[in-house]
Amino acid sequence: MLPLSVFGTYSLVSTMCSAMVRLTTPLITATFPRMSAYVRGEHIQELRVLFFTASQATFALMLTAAGALVFFGAAFIELVSGRPDAAREFAPVLAALAAAYALSGLCRPSHALQMAEGDPATALKSNLVTGALYLPAILLLTPRYGVILPALCLIGANGLAFVIFTATAFRNRLKGLAGRWLRSSVLPQLVAVGLAYGLVRFVTPESLPLLTRPAIAVGASGLALAAAVLASDHLRVHLPGLRRGRGAQARA
């Protein structure tokens, strides 16, 4: 459906995005055994705290990585490919794929909770539904709309999967907490990361040398990650400075 050169560049930017999801693997791997133990022992309060904490850490990492590719994607593509034309053409594709893979990463804590509760069927059903929509769409529409179409379809598929996972993860032991989870573990991190990257991107001119722009993106990612952690109530309580400050207030 696409020229080989176009598909090659698409594969390159897709690989850059798939690396984001691997950032969350150590978190989920470390969280799952304890989550399963809390489910088995019916320790609901501990399960809630663990799930919210793991979600906030996962989302802080995923959104920080995705933001770098969304706001500074053209610089990374040009640096990796050595082609300014590819950077211009594929920056929107990279941004769309980064958003799609970020949505996929946001499903991982909910999936871990469902697996801990003995519910692997939800993930299977979700994949069947989204795959049934995604595959025909890219086969039918890619020849007409080009390489941006698979990326946009992946956003739709992973967005639908996120809705399904969110709707089903909170129907058992954490029933009724979906709204609180979204307000504390998704939206604050999204706003904090977006504002951090948007501010840095606004003051970064396009005329800067190629190696300077990725360096600025790395610095912006540190700022965005710090903002996401500070926006996460279950993460910032572990920051040493804030912990000391609360202890002094308690003694006073």
Side-chain angles (χ1 to χ4, degrees):
M1 293 184 292
L2 295 170
L4 187 59
S5 60
V6 174
F7 178 73
T9 308
Y10 182 88
S11 299
L12 174 65
V13 299
S14 178
T15 301
M16 294 168 64
C17 294
S18 64
M20 298 189 317
V21 182
R22 299 191 188 100
L23 292 173
T24 65
T25 299
L27 280 170
I28 301 301
T29 301
T31 301
F32 180 73
R34 186 176 298 180
M35 193 179 294
S36 300
Y38 287 155
V39 168
R40 185 171 58 251
E42 294 296 335
H43 300 303
I44 305 303
Q45 177 61 24
E46 291 84 351
L47 177 65
R48 183 189 71 81
V49 172
L50 177 62
F51 180 75
F52 276 57
T53 303
S55 297
Q56 292 177 7
T58 298
F59 298 169
L61 288 173
M62 285 296 305
L63 294 174
T64 298
L69 299 180
V70 169
F71 286 90
F72 294 92
F76 286 114
I77 294 175
E78 185 176 353
L79 181 65
V80 173
S81 68
R83 295 172 50 202
D85 60 320
R88 291 190 298 270
E89 294 173 8
F90 280 85
V93 178
L94 178 58
L97 283 175
Y101 277 88
L103 283 169
S104 175
L106 299 187
C107 297
R108 301 195 76 182
S110 297
H111 181 217
L113 175 62
Q114 291 170 350
M115 293 295 288
E117 292 180 332
D119 178 24
T122 296
L124 175 61
K125 294 175 183 177
S126 174
N127 287 335
L128 290 175
V129 170
T130 56
L133 298 173
Y134 173 71
L135 292 177
I138 63 171
L139 290 174
L140 295 173
L141 300 178
T142 298
R144 180 173 181 179
Y145 295 102
V147 73
I148 189 66
L149 194 279
L152 295 178
C153 287
L154 193 59
I155 289 179
N158 288 346
L160 177 60
F162 177 73
V163 172
I164 294 173
F165 274 105
T166 302
T168 54
F170 296 92
R171 63 187 178 186
N172 294 318
R173 288 166 179 81
L174 300 185
K175 186 176 182 180
L177 295 177
R180 183 187 302 179
W181 178 73
L182 288 170
R183 291 191 299 271
S184 69
S185 304
V186 179
L187 296 179
Q189 292 76 16
L190 180 62
V191 172
V193 169
L195 289 175
Y197 276 117
L199 177 62
V200 176
R201 187 67 182 84
F202 179 75
V203 299
T204 303
E206 288 287 346
S207 58
L208 289 175
L210 174 59
L211 293 179
T212 304
R213 283 176 282 150
I216 293 175
V218 172
S221 67
L223 177 63
L225 182 60
V229 171
L230 289 174
S232 305
D233 56 346
H234 285 269
L235 297 182
R236 64 173 177 260
V237 298
H238 299 288
L239 297 177
L242 295 181
R243 188 163 59 236
R244 288 194 298 268
R246 284 194 307 274
Q249 292 177 1
R251 287 192 297 273

